[in-house]
Amino acid sequence: MLCQICKINPATIHIQELANGKKKTLHLCLSCAGKKTLANAIFDGLDLPDILSSLEQNLSGILPPGFNPLENPSALFEQDSDTEDPEPLVCPECSWSEDQFHKTARLGCPQCYETFRKELEQRFFEIHRSATHTGKPLLFEPEHSGETGGILDSAAKQAATENQRRSELETLERDLKESIRREEFELATELRDKIRSIRRTLHSLETEDKDRQP
Amino acid sequence: MIPSKFPWDTADPADTADNPVIIASRIRLARNLRTFPFPCNASPAQKLKVLDLVRNALADSKDAWTETDAGTAPDSDLELLEENLTIPPGFRKDRTGKALFLSGDGTTGILVNTEDHIRLQTFAPGLKLKKLREKLDELDNFLAERLPFSYHTRFGYLTASPADAGTGLKASILLHLPALPLTGGNKFLQKAAEAMDLTIRGFFGEKIKITGNLYRIANRSTMGESEPEITGRITECASRIGAQELNARKILRENHSIRLMDFCARAASILASARLISTEEAMNALSGMRLAIETDLKQPPHPFDWNKLLLAIQPCHVAPAPCTPEKRAEKRASFLRSVFGGDPLPDTATTGDGKESGEA
């Protein structure tokens, strides 16, 4: 079912309204629902925090981290909140610039994958529908280690399991979106819980990683 | 010595294709050394160092590798290798540190300092991605033991282009599909490729126009799937497309035989009587001839080796540079008439090459 306001996005939120004693059901997408509840709150004096908190309860686990409409209602309108222009990135290892990366769609050196990591993760999703390698791991310790870089560490073998978890996470996230689209909410809740538990494990692994490599 | 055959054209009789539609398989693995910038950002000295490291690593190999150094090899050799599909287009540009190491049988190659530091590639006739993957896996392990490959715990093997990162594996299948376009089955091809997230290109990797009804399907994504998953997906898609092509041929034979006859007869006439023929026209005509032979409309001339013919009509195989396109077109036409003879016009301009060979 498509959103009744924008008629573009799939409707994932269903709001029942009482108008002139008649019950009316609205099927909306997340973005239009946000606008709609805000507009209602302003014009009809509805309890905005109440609506938003119920929205949040329904959607927690689906919303991106840091997206909290209770604390920041404008997040409903600007999901990509990074609007400030940061300094253009340059790889400290090989001086490859963000501009060169964009123009050539190539990177300058292996270290660039860390330098441009944020953008790369997004690109990986666009190109590969995934940002996690689940194939053959590098099983050999290089004899020439320590020259430059340092991307490869002794955890390479362990990473294979970690990557499997990430891949599982990606699949679950896809399934979650699909289940919401199909309005199978019981399944969605189940998936959300699974996603949370994997995220927790991965997060603790990552913190360990950072402790090891300051 | 440049092998005058495509890298999948092996003499091994066990290698002959089961399905005539599926011509060849190819797998490529991209690898880089983590201690150097990628070739697009490396100095000539760094590229030469990378080449040295690869050469030293291969010195331990039990296989005999023949090195062709782009810096010193004559243009004519590189042109032939490019037409063989052994080296990629663009290999002749910016040659410092670029090299090809070719295995004894010519099926496996190691390209150094092209888009990535190292690209391993191997070919086989027919649908043999599994076999090729295992073969490259072995070579990859051999090199990984000796060279500091760049590997990221999350993103996998790092490559100059993010589109190759992860497994670094691109697998492709070369298919000959003349009947699908004749029956409007192209839409199926596009749909199948889209559904399976594969790319469709032409024989030389061209995107827009397909020459000689030769299609290459390959994986688009290289991350998020294991190597066997990628090759499995392509194998499945190629078999399905292959089956559709055979089905289209059956439909043509049973219901539209005049359309099939027309297509093949035109191709045969062009091959038998053209005086000037471009590479593209010759490839298209050879496609029709192959279809005629495979649908039993025509007996193949003796000896008939389609792979060899396809290569022999490529510009630098017809005549080495410098040569004008018209001179090449004339030589190409003359060569094809000598194979497919039966010319309706008496040949006065060139020397006796109009052999009769059972043209219907």
Side-chain angles (χ1 to χ4, degrees):
Chain A
M1 184 188 297
L2 289 181
C3 169
Q4 289 179 334
I5 293 182
C6 66
K7 299 196 168 51
I8 296 169
N9 300 323
T12 53
I13 292 165
H14 311 278
I15 299 175
Q16 289 198 334
E17 276 188 341
L18 269 176
N20 304 330
K22 279 183 189 168
K23 202 163 81 174
K24 208 170 104 186
T25 310
L26 280 174
H27 305 279
L28 305 175
C29 68
L30 176 58
S31 154
C32 292
K35 289 174 196 165
K36 172 84 183 154
T37 47
L38 269 184
N40 280 354
I42 293 159
F43 295 115
D44 308 335
L46 290 176
D47 187 1
L48 171 66
D50 209 40
I51 294 166
L52 287 180
S53 80
S54 70
L55 255 182
E56 200 208 16
Q57 266 171 19
N58 288 332
L59 298 172
S60 57
I62 301 166
L63 297 178
F67 180 90
N68 186 344
L70 261 185
E71 282 166 16
N72 177 19
S74 66
L76 282 171
F77 302 103
E78 292 171 31
Q79 294 199 19
D80 303 315
S81 53
D82 295 18
T83 43
E84 275 176 44
D85 269 351
E87 282 281 293
L89 292 170
V90 172
C91 177
E93 185 75 33
C94 72
S95 313
W96 195 253
S97 69
E98 201 171 353
D99 195 41
Q100 281 173 301
F101 170 33
H102 291 159
K103 275 190 187 143
T104 61
R106 301 284 179 278
L107 295 155
C109 76
Q111 190 61 39
C112 288
Y113 276 83
E114 286 302 333
T115 312
F116 305 112
R117 183 167 182 151
K118 204 172 158 197
E119 187 180 339
L120 278 168
E121 290 206 16
Q122 236 174 29
R123 281 211 188 189
F124 285 147
F125 271 107
E126 285 163 19
I127 305 168
H128 307 293
R129 299 182 191 171
S130 162
T132 309
H133 174 60
T134 52
K136 183 181 178 181
L138 183 68
L139 293 175
F140 297 95
E141 287 295 327
E143 291 165 28
H144 322 254
S145 59
E147 288 182 49
T148 55
I151 289 169
L152 182 102
D153 60 17
S154 55
K157 286 166 209 171
Q158 179 201 324
T161 11
E162 190 185 323
N163 284 350
Q164 265 170 10
R165 274 204 204 106
R166 277 189 206 282
S167 157
E168 199 184 330
L169 188 64
E170 280 163 14
T171 321
L172 286 171
E173 278 167 347
R174 256 203 310 270
D175 291 351
L176 176 63
K177 275 189 198 148
E178 181 62 23
S179 66
I180 292 168
R181 197 182 65 77
R182 289 194 195 161
E183 303 178 6
E184 293 166 357
F185 295 113
E186 266 178 40
L187 179 66
T189 321
E190 212 174 284
L191 289 168
R192 187 196 60 194
D193 291 345
K194 271 192 198 162
I195 287 170
R196 274 183 182 164
S197 110
I198 295 180
R199 278 219 181 108
R200 235 173 274 137
T201 358
L202 278 175
H203 181 72
S204 61
L205 275 175
E206 256 169 25
T207 343
E208 268 175 41
D209 234 25
K210 272 174 198 153
D211 291 346
R212 221 173 27 231
Q213 282 184 310
Chain B
M1 189 60 214
I2 305 304
S4 60
K5 63 183 188 66
F6 288 117
W8 63 81
D9 189 6
T10 56
D12 189 350
D15 271 341
T16 46
D18 328 317
N19 183 339
V21 169
I22 298 169
I23 300 200
S25 304
R26 184 193 85 151
I27 293 195
R28 187 212 74 194
L29 277 181
R31 295 289 184 257
N32 287 278
L33 308 188
R34 67 194 183 91
T35 42
F36 292 91
F38 296 133
C40 59
N41 192 27
S43 67
Q46 285 170 320
K47 288 191 201 173
L48 288 170
K49 183 83 183 119
V50 170
L51 176 56
D52 257 356
L53 287 171
V54 177
R55 195 182 286 129
N56 288 343
L58 285 174
D60 294 348
S61 169
K62 59 182 190 305
D63 300 312
W65 298 94
T66 314
E67 181 180 344
T68 306
D69 191 327
T72 54
D75 267 5
S76 53
D77 281 8
L78 298 182
E79 280 162 0
L80 293 177
L81 282 170
E82 200 175 313
E83 286 181 359
N84 280 354
L85 303 181
T86 307
I87 57 174
F91 190 85
R92 280 179 284 149
K93 274 185 245 151
D94 193 12
R95 295 188 185 181
T96 312
K98 251 183 212 172
L100 161 77
F101 293 88
L102 198 62
S103 67
D105 63 358
T107 58
T108 307
I110 301 170
L111 295 154
V112 183
N113 284 318
T114 54
E115 177 143 346
D116 293 296
H117 290 144
I118 299 170
R119 283 193 165 191
L120 314 174
Q121 64 182 28
T122 186
F123 294 80
L127 192 53
K128 301 242 172 43
L129 287 183
K130 186 167 178 279
K131 187 181 137 196
L132 292 183
R133 182 170 52 72
E134 288 161 358
K135 197 167 156 190
L136 273 199
D137 196 44
E138 210 175 290
L139 180 58
D140 178 42
N141 287 344
F142 173 83
L143 290 173
E145 261 183 289
R146 288 159 180 81
L147 296 166
F149 278 170
S150 141
Y151 183 83
H152 189 284
T153 47
R154 165 97 190 269
F155 301 139
Y157 292 91
L158 303 183
T159 50
S161 163
D164 295 321
T167 55
L169 181 143
K170 284 262 157 108
S172 70
I173 303 283
L174 181 65
L175 298 133
H176 178 231
L177 308 173
L180 275 181
L182 283 178
T183 50
N186 277 12
K187 279 178 214 141
F188 166 81
L189 195 63
Q190 288 295 344
K191 266 190 202 159
E194 263 168 44
M196 309 280 268
D197 196 28
L198 302 172
T199 57
I200 296 187
R201 296 275 175 90
F203 187 64
F204 299 105
E206 69 273 24
K207 285 182 196 168
I208 303 159
K209 205 174 163 194
I210 299 292
T211 310
N213 294 311
L214 291 164
Y215 296 76
R216 258 206 277 184
I217 59 162
N219 54 313
R220 192 194 310 271
S221 62
T222 54
M223 193 183 280
E225 274 177 305
S226 68
E227 290 81 356
E229 281 169 336
I230 296 175
T231 52
R233 190 154 56 86
I234 301 175
T235 303
E236 192 194 328
C237 190
S239 326
R240 280 198 206 174
I241 294 174
Q244 285 290 328
E245 164 70 19
L246 291 179
N247 191 36
R249 290 180 186 187
K250 195 165 161 257
I251 292 173
L252 273 181
R253 250 201 319 256
E254 287 169 5
N255 305 335
H256 307 280
S257 59
I258 191 73
R259 228 191 272 173
L260 178 67
M261 279 291 279
D262 180 66
F263 179 75
C264 297
R266 279 168 189 270
S269 315
I270 287 171
L271 293 173
S273 52
R275 294 303 193 275
L276 292 171
I277 189 165
S278 69
T279 315
E280 190 187 329
E281 193 182 8
M283 283 174 75
N284 287 333
L286 279 178
S287 165
M289 177 57 77
R290 186 174 167 128
L291 180 64
I293 291 167
E294 283 171 0
T295 48
D296 301 323
L297 286 177
K298 185 166 173 26
Q299 286 293 310
H302 292 291
F304 179 74
D305 185 329
W306 194 76
N307 277 311
K308 296 237 167 10
L309 279 173
L310 192 63
L311 186 59
I313 58 164
Q314 302 302 325
C316 296
H317 281 80
V318 170
C323 185
T324 62
E326 181 162 310
K327 190 76 200 153
R328 279 199 177 119
E330 191 189 331
K331 283 192 162 203
R332 189 181 290 117
S334 158
F335 163 72
L336 288 169
R337 284 202 313 280
S338 75
V339 179
F340 296 101
D343 196 344
L345 278 186
D347 211 336
T348 51
T350 49
T351 46
D353 54 358
K355 264 183 283 170
E356 294 291 327
S357 73
E359 174 75 15

